[in-house]
Amino acid sequence: MAKQPTEAQVHHDFEYADDRMLDALIAAFREQHEREHGERLAMHARRELGRGKVRVTFRVVAAARRR
């Protein structure tokens, strides 16, 4: 059986007060990562770390092609 390639993942911990703030933090992190590394991120998993804390795992996806 052939082994499937493992996908690249990025983990980041966020502290937030409400869901709206968390959404804004995630969007800012994704934009910053794309600017600095040239890689787009898609949310893969979310793990609660306690009240107001969460660890989000992103997977690296191919950048959108420009026309």
Side-chain angles (χ1 to χ4, degrees), residues 4-62:
Q4 295 213 352
T6 59
E7 57 187 24
Q9 294 183 340
V10 176
H11 308 280
H12 192 77
D13 296 345
F14 296 96
E15 290 187 30
Y16 63 98
D18 58 25
D19 288 339
R20 179 177 271 166
M21 181 181 175
L22 178 60
D23 291 342
L25 290 170
I26 290 172
F29 176 76
R30 290 175 64 192
E31 290 171 9
Q32 179 184 359
H33 183 86
E34 186 171 0
R35 271 194 319 272
E36 292 177 1
H37 301 281
E39 301 172 332
R40 290 185 56 224
L41 298 176
M43 190 182 295
H44 182 73
R46 173 180 166 163
R47 184 171 142 211
E48 298 294 327
L49 299 175
R51 183 178 210 112
K53 295 180 184 178
V54 67
R55 174 169 293 143
V56 178
T57 301
F58 300 93
R59 67 181 187 281
V60 177
V61 295

